[in-house]
Amino acid sequence: MTSHLRSNRFEPFRLVTEGEVVGSHDGSRATLHLGALDDEVVYHHEYGHEVLFSRSTDGSILALLWRVMDEPGGIRGDELSAFSITADTLATGSIDAQETFATYYGIKLVAPEVGKGYIRHLPANYKAYYEEAATVIDPLFASTFMQVRVALTLTHFAFDSRFAARFLRNPRFAYQTQDQDEEPNHRLRALLSELGARGKELRCQLSDAAKQFFERRQVTGWNLNDEEAWRDQGTLANLLDLELDGVMASWLRSRRVVPFLTAEERVKCGKRLIAFARELCVDLRQTVGTEVADIPDLDAATAHFRRDAATRAHAWKQAGSFIANSSIGRTLPGADGAALWEIDDYRNADKLVVISGDPDDLPDVWTVLRDGPEGAQTNLTLGERRVFAVHYLRDDVISWLNQLQPEHGWTGPQPYLIISPIGSERKAGNRAFSYGPAVAPGYIDPRHNDRMALYVMGNWFDFIEAAAQTGSVRLAQISADLSGYGEQLQPLVLKVARCEGFPGPWFLRSFAPQAAASAALLELDWQHNPAIQSVSISELLPDETEELLKRTMSSILALWSRL
């Protein structure tokens, strides 16, 4: 699950329920695991981590250091070691605060009855995280909307320490320790303690601020403890929420429980962090622009959130989220090919290709022997269905595919569909395969073009935007319920595109349902882009290809530790 991480990398923050890893966040993106694709609490839990990594100063520093450690580029030796030491210091000093907020946030963002029922599934340490916040906040504020607002503002202040200013004065130093007032763990506990002692005072200030908000707008107000009233307000509730955030922030600053950055210092630190990231060849962009064209007949709430920076940031992050397997044994019941994971040449391969054929028409075992482990079989049994897949080095696969031609003496079936990952982060053109003359080494034979499907590893929104600059793009979406992953079907949304400017017939990206729904907010922007057209899946794919793509995604999810 974490084979992409360096050996000295602090493990991503992970949520575990009933002994299974169901979600994780590595500082850059959220990952949902099979078995939890439709779990609202897990989705919002990982969103909670995302909020802290992308919208707080302390969280952004750790996210940057982790990015550099995972993809170090030209950074080596003492410099990389110093980043690793600092990252471990920051992770250790913030993990309790991260998990306290994310666990509380995940449970409070779902319907109250769902959240209460979920608590009993949490292991003891996560129950303790939840209760650390709940025992202070819940007696003061009855509505989950107010509970979330208070927890969010409180935690943002916990991750707004003066360490950022100290770090950015000498960002390449190995920080082995932090002062207590710089650690989010201590800061959040201190702020919760202050809220427990003086929270009634804050509650009165928030209530007065809400009354003034309603009077200024000349609208009928509602009781801040009324769950249903908040839920019915939409845009107005969001505007009030932002107002209350400012009131609570002023109250926290006045308490002086722990030191904070001033507003001016925060802006300076943000600019210096972005500049330092550029020195390390890391793009810290967290969102897309908010200047968007109007869409006729769009409901008022959606129109409002299309222009909301935080909502668009979340939608963009979800367009880069991943799906993963938490347990190869659970997700591949009785799979003969599970032993592939025991072979270093497979685990360490830099690319994955899936070759899927009709199990009824291809009874023979497919093998790849060129420069690989002898006798490595490509066939697997997933549930009762046989699929054909191989995890292999790119150059070996190119050589093998190019030999599957009659002139090389090949008389067996051609692979029906070949899927390869492409792209890294926002780079749409970083293709796994290059197309050219069949005789040239390192190029795939053009005769395979119509069998290629490329899996987009980076951000789907950025990829489509880039593809539309090279030619027309047609988009569709498949709802694919995957079997063989435990007792229940796993809902998967598979986005498919045909890109005129890129080789290969299809480009794919899989999402958990809620991640796909969030990313769809940005896809509304494409209604004004004549190069991008949304069509039905029947217009984009023949019926048999749609089913094949669904089966092939099962193969991918069975083998990839992370998508």
Side-chain angles (χ1 to χ4, degrees):
M1 182 186 63
T2 56
S3 60
H4 66 292
L5 302 177
R6 293 175 56 84
S7 59
N8 61 343
R9 161 78 139 82
F10 197 96
E11 288 289 321
F13 295 144
R14 297 184 292 178
L15 176 61
V16 179
T17 62
E18 298 184 336
E20 292 285 351
V21 176
V22 291
S24 61
H25 205 294
D26 65 2
S28 297
R29 59 184 62 81
T31 298
L32 293 188
H33 294 251
L34 292 171
L37 296 190
D38 58 350
D39 192 316
E40 289 184 280
V41 174
V42 177
Y43 172 79
H44 290 302
H45 179 104
E46 300 311 328
Y47 180 19
H49 286 306
E50 177 183 298
V51 166
L52 298 180
F53 280 123
S54 62
R55 297 189 227 165
S56 75
T57 309
D58 291 350
S60 294
I61 292 173
L62 178 56
L64 170 61
L65 295 177
W66 274 356
R67 281 274 299 278
V68 172
M69 292 168 62
D70 293 345
E71 302 170 13
I75 299 172
R76 296 287 186 271
D78 291 345
E79 187 176 27
L80 189 60
S81 176
F83 289 154
S84 177
I85 290 170
T86 301
D88 281 359
T89 299
L90 296 182
T92 301
S94 64
I95 188 169
D96 290 345
Q98 281 265 6
E99 296 298 354
T100 295
F101 171 70
T103 305
Y104 185 78
Y105 190 71
I107 287 174
K108 292 299 183 178
L109 275 185
V110 300
E113 62 275 12
V114 175
K116 291 176 182 177
Y118 204 92
I119 296 171
R120 68 174 179 269
H121 297 294
L122 296 174
N125 59 332
Y126 282 92
K127 285 181 183 177
Y129 287 136
Y130 170 78
E131 290 169 358
E132 185 165 10
T135 54
V136 176
I137 298 173
D138 291 10
L140 292 167
F141 303 95
S143 164
T144 59
F145 287 82
M146 288 300 297
Q147 291 166 356
V148 167
R149 166 40 55 205
V150 170
L152 189 54
T153 306
L154 211 67
T155 309
H156 269 147
F157 271 74
F159 281 77
D160 191 36
S161 78
R162 299 193 61 79
F163 175 78
R166 183 160 70 96
F167 169 81
L168 288 166
R169 284 194 292 270
N170 187 7
R172 289 179 168 82
F173 180 75
Y175 293 88
Q176 299 187 29
T177 61
Q178 284 182 290
D179 295 337
Q180 190 177 53
D181 280 347
E182 294 175 334
E183 292 184 347
N185 292 344
H186 165 77
R187 292 168 62 83
L188 182 57
R189 292 189 180 106
L191 292 168
L192 283 168
S193 178
E194 181 70 9
L195 181 65
R198 301 182 182 274
K200 291 181 180 179
E201 173 188 318
L202 172 63
R203 186 172 61 190
C204 290
Q205 289 189 22
L206 294 175
S207 180
D208 291 342
K211 290 177 183 177
Q212 295 171 21
F213 173 87
F214 296 138
E215 290 172 0
R216 286 198 311 273
R217 293 179 172 270
Q218 298 181 339
V219 297
T220 302
W222 65 87
N223 186 328
L224 298 186
N225 290 321
D226 189 335
E227 189 80 17
E228 293 303 319
W230 274 102
R231 200 176 304 278
D232 294 340
Q233 293 303 317
T235 301
L236 191 62
N238 177 248
L239 295 173
L240 175 58
D241 181 64
L242 296 175
E243 181 104 353
L244 298 181
D245 175 44
V247 172
M248 185 174 175
S250 297
W251 182 82
L252 285 173
R253 291 190 191 96
S254 71
R255 304 314 311 160
R256 300 181 182 276
V257 177
V258 289
F260 308 114
L261 293 171
T262 66
E264 183 180 1
E265 287 173 326
R266 190 178 301 105
V267 172
K268 287 183 178 179
C269 284
K271 291 180 178 178
R272 289 169 64 188
L273 185 62
I274 291 172
F276 179 56
R278 288 194 185 119
E279 292 178 24
L280 304 175
C281 299
V282 173
D283 183 1
L284 278 188
R285 182 178 74 117
Q286 300 291 355
T287 187
V288 290
T290 56
E291 296 296 323
V292 294
D294 290 334
I295 296 177
D297 302 323
L298 195 64
D299 66 272
T302 304
H304 167 77
F305 286 112
R306 282 189 70 220
R307 290 174 167 79
D308 179 69
T311 305
R312 288 179 70 83
H314 174 56
W316 180 73
K317 283 284 189 178
Q318 289 306 305
S321 61
F322 284 146
I323 293 172
N325 286 327
S326 59
S327 168
I328 189 71
R330 184 166 70 88
T331 58
L332 281 177
D336 296 334
L340 292 176
W341 289 89
E342 305 297 327
I343 304 172
D344 286 342
D345 286 349
Y346 277 75
R347 288 205 308 267
N348 299 330
D350 62 350
K351 297 294 178 188
L352 175 82
V353 173
V354 173
I355 298 109
S356 180
D358 185 338
D360 296 327
D361 293 341
L362 298 175
D364 297 330
V365 172
W366 286 47
T367 61
V368 178
L369 302 179
R370 181 182 174 85
D371 299 329
E374 184 176 354
Q377 296 184 345
T378 67
N379 67 320
L380 299 172
T381 301
L382 185 61
E384 296 181 354
R385 171 171 286 153
R386 286 206 305 148
V387 294
F388 296 83
V390 58
H391 184 185
Y392 225 70
L393 295 172
R394 185 192 67 150
D395 289 343
D396 294 333
V397 170
I398 290 177
S399 299
W400 178 64
L401 289 174
N402 288 344
Q403 291 185 52
L404 302 187
Q405 304 296 343
E407 61 265 33
H408 293 286
W410 177 257
T411 59
Q414 292 286 320
Y416 188 72
L417 186 66
I418 308 160
I419 294 187
S420 173
I422 69 162
S424 174
E425 295 305 321
R426 296 169 56 209
K427 299 176 184 176
N430 182 15
R431 304 187 182 98
F433 289 96
S434 299
Y435 292 79
V439 295
Y443 287 89
I444 190 170
D445 191 309
R447 284 174 290 188
H448 289 297
N449 279 12
D450 61 351
R451 300 186 180 96
M452 290 295 297
L454 303 178
Y455 189 92
V456 179
M457 295 293 291
N459 188 292
W460 177 254
F461 178 81
D462 287 341
F463 172 79
I464 296 299
E465 291 269 300
Q469 296 177 20
T470 68
S472 64
V473 176
R474 301 173 74 214
L475 299 170
Q477 185 168 296
I478 302 173
S479 294
D481 290 336
L482 303 181
S483 60
Y485 298 92
E487 296 179 0
Q488 297 181 339
L489 294 175
Q490 288 298 292
L492 183 78
V493 174
L494 183 60
K495 292 182 180 290
V496 186
R498 297 191 75 126
C499 305
E500 183 182 57
F502 290 167
W506 304 294
F507 294 82
L508 311 173
R509 188 64 152 81
S510 62
F511 291 96
Q514 292 192 61
S518 294
L521 182 81
L522 295 183
E523 294 175 3
L524 291 172
D525 297 355
W526 296 337
Q527 292 189 21
H528 294 281
N529 190 332
I532 302 175
Q533 180 186 10
S534 293
V535 299
S536 68
I537 193 65
S538 60
E539 294 178 82
L540 194 65
L541 300 175
D543 291 341
E544 64 274 12
T545 304
E546 178 182 349
E547 289 304 313
L548 178 63
L549 289 180
K550 290 180 183 180
R551 295 205 308 271
T552 306
M553 286 309 302
S554 293
S555 303
I556 292 176
L557 292 172
L559 286 178
W560 274 356
S561 63
R562 163 182 180 140
L563 294 181

